[in-house]
Amino acid sequence: MRENEIYDVVGIGYGPSNLALDIALRERELGGPGNGITSHFFERQQRFGWHRNMLLPSATMQISFLKDLVTFRNPASDYSFVSFLHESGRLAQFVNNKDFFPTRLEFHQYLEWAQARVAGRVSYGSKVTSIQPVPDDVTGLPERLRLTVLDGAGEAERMVEARNVVISTGLVPRMLAGLKSDDRVWHSSEFLYKFHRMDPKSLRRVAVVGAGQSAAEITRFLYDQLPQAEVSAIIPSYGYSVADDTPFANQIFAPRAVDEYYFGSEQTREAFWRYHSNTNYSVVDDDVIRDLYRRHYDDEVRGVERLHFLNLTRVDAVQRSGSETRVSLRAGPAGERREIEVDALVCATGYHTMEPTNLLGELDLYCLRDDAGRFRMERDYRIVTAPELRCGIYLQGGTEHTHGLSSSLLSNIAVRSGEIVDSIVARGLAHDAERAMLAEAAVASSGQAAGGFE
Ligand code: FDA
Ligand code: NAP
């Protein structure tokens, strides 16, 4: 990275969304107007990683491989999943699988491959801690943003300036209320890291809270990896519900649906959620449900019972002491109370949506909000800001209320990144033209004023 540089675009977070943006910027630089946009990205992890702690064996993607970083924006791009397969020598073998859904492990390899090809403009081990407006010397209006970046060890701090920021810091793990994770209580987002720190022999009774995809995958993993352990699944519903990925429902993830949601009425938006949240939230892929049922049934045939589905059950409280974890449950149709003791408790209790308020600090004062206190968003993913703020604050994520269900997913990242790049270029050109006009007018009026003294 160049020191003391003012960038046109700084990306905060370097997961798939901003990686897709980085590629879109590069492809824009290669052809067409907008050449020479300067950009840099900051990622707090030491190296690229996409939900590494959930890279469980045989976990598959929940979108088609064609919804990769680029294809829906530019099918001719050489950053596609197909290009990756071709370069890896696996294209023919992949096709023989006749499967749209690669493993998460393979998709992770693809993302790593793509980021390695564009690595020059990202600083890893770099956490952005604040963004502040910088007043212009002439106008006094905020024309740039100053970002504070901490290195991985939290020791060195540096400043960078940008005309636009694209915030893409991802989902935020949601724990059970009042519960902190520790060596025996884990959120699913830290699962593999915490699991591998344990001696598997010490895990004789484990429980997983939740009935979403994370919970089901972790339950299956624990059952398979700990053949001596009792595994309890604490499920709020009667049984796991299937994720609807049938073709008509899947249309809500198409780029076109973003317009229908954004420009739709309140009723339209409400209908998206009412009818289709079962495409993504608190639901599980059909094959994982069947895997779990099959394991349970096979045990029953063999007269074994070590996989327990505690249905209609929610966690009320958790008490921790040393290696003991006591979980209070409100269970069954009558809401009876019961307790279980476990050696490890995994909270697969989901995520909060991305919320950049803390990061924005005093800059938040320039960001307009709706009646419900949410950011008002332009269609191009730019936060609606007070007119005096000339810089762009773009969000990739956290826009479910304005852009719909795909906001926190991969489905639309290729097209969304392209739209953000187009917006930055168009607004930048308009801004430059306006400044040039103002400068010309200033020269003209100073000429006239000077003329008056002649
Ligand atoms: P993501 O969370 O991937 O990246 C954000 C990055 O920002 C992180 O690397 C983080 O370290 C970094 N960061 C955060 N704060 C920072 C700061 N202050 N400074 C610098 N860096 C910072 N969706 C889908 O469509 N299909 C799928 O198959 C899946 N699969 C899936 C599996 C699992 C286990 C989960 C939990 C989620 C999914 N998802 C999904 C949804 C998921 O949100 C999506 O896949 C992407 O992670 C979205 O990419 P982003 O880059 O927006 O966020
Ligand atoms: P999720 O879908 O939000 O599910 C969270 C679950 O926790 C829900 O069943 C919720 O029940 C339950 N829960 C919350 N509090 C509880 C309590 N006190 N007691 C009992 N249960 C409680 O979260 P997720 O499974 O982590 O999925 C998040 C995203 O990641 C989704 O987009 C998903 O598709 C994705 N994902 C993908 C993969 C993959 O690609 N293979 C793997 C994992 C996750 P209620 O609904 O009743 O609140």
Side-chain angles (χ1 to χ4, degrees), residues 270-344:
E270 198 268 327
F272 268 78
W273 287 103
R274 177 149 46 100
Y275 293 114
H276 300 298
S277 48
N278 68 341
T279 51
N280 186 47
Y281 296 100
S282 308
V283 287
V284 181
D285 283 349
D286 181 71
D287 58 330
V288 184
I289 295 179
R290 286 179 192 286
D291 274 0
L292 282 172
Y293 194 85
R294 169 58 66 187
R295 281 159 173 73
H296 186 247
Y297 185 78
D298 287 351
D299 275 357
E300 211 167 298
V301 171
R302 290 188 292 121
V304 177
E305 203 192 344
R306 67 178 191 92
L307 181 53
H308 309 283
F309 296 105
L310 311 182
N311 67 0
L312 297 174
T313 301
R314 296 188 81 84
V315 175
D316 257 357
V318 177
Q319 276 181 308
R320 287 277 299 113
S321 167
S323 61
E324 281 178 22
T325 304
R326 194 180 293 259
V327 188
S328 307
L329 304 171
R330 194 179 284 265
E336 289 156 24
R337 285 172 192 279
R338 63 178 283 204
E339 278 191 354
I340 56 170
E341 274 187 32
V342 292
D343 303 310

Side-chain angles (χ1 to χ4, degrees), residues 215-285:
E217 286 182 8
I218 289 172
T219 304
R220 179 177 64 177
F221 175 89
L222 289 172
Y223 177 87
D224 291 351
Q225 299 291 317
L226 304 172
Q228 309 307 328
E230 301 269 322
V231 180
S232 299
I234 301 168
I235 312 178
S237 53
Y238 197 76
Y240 299 105
S241 297
V242 71
D244 184 353
D245 74 338
T246 50
F248 287 106
N250 241 329
Q251 293 182 120
I252 59 159
F253 298 117
R256 195 184 63 190
V258 176
D259 280 330
E260 278 157 354
Y261 191 96
Y262 185 86
F263 296 110
S265 64
E266 214 31 71
Q267 285 103 309
T268 306
R269 285 196 277 273
E270 198 268 327
F272 268 78
W273 287 103
R274 177 149 46 100
Y275 293 114
H276 300 298
S277 48
N278 68 341
T279 51
N280 186 47
Y281 296 100
S282 308
V283 287
V284 181
D285 283 349

Side-chain angles (χ1 to χ4, degrees), residues 22-65:
D22 193 0
I23 296 170
L25 281 164
R26 282 166 200 261
E27 292 188 343
R28 178 74 182 225
E29 283 161 25
L30 292 178
N35 289 357
I37 308 170
T38 55
S39 63
H40 199 81
F41 293 83
F42 294 99
E43 167 56 52
R44 67 181 173 189
Q45 296 183 84
Q46 298 297 332
R47 60 190 171 126
F48 183 85
W50 175 60
H51 304 302
R52 273 183 190 276
N53 288 316
M54 282 295 291
L55 285 181
L56 305 177
S58 72
T60 56
M61 292 300 293
Q62 298 199 293
I63 46 161
S64 157
F65 68 88

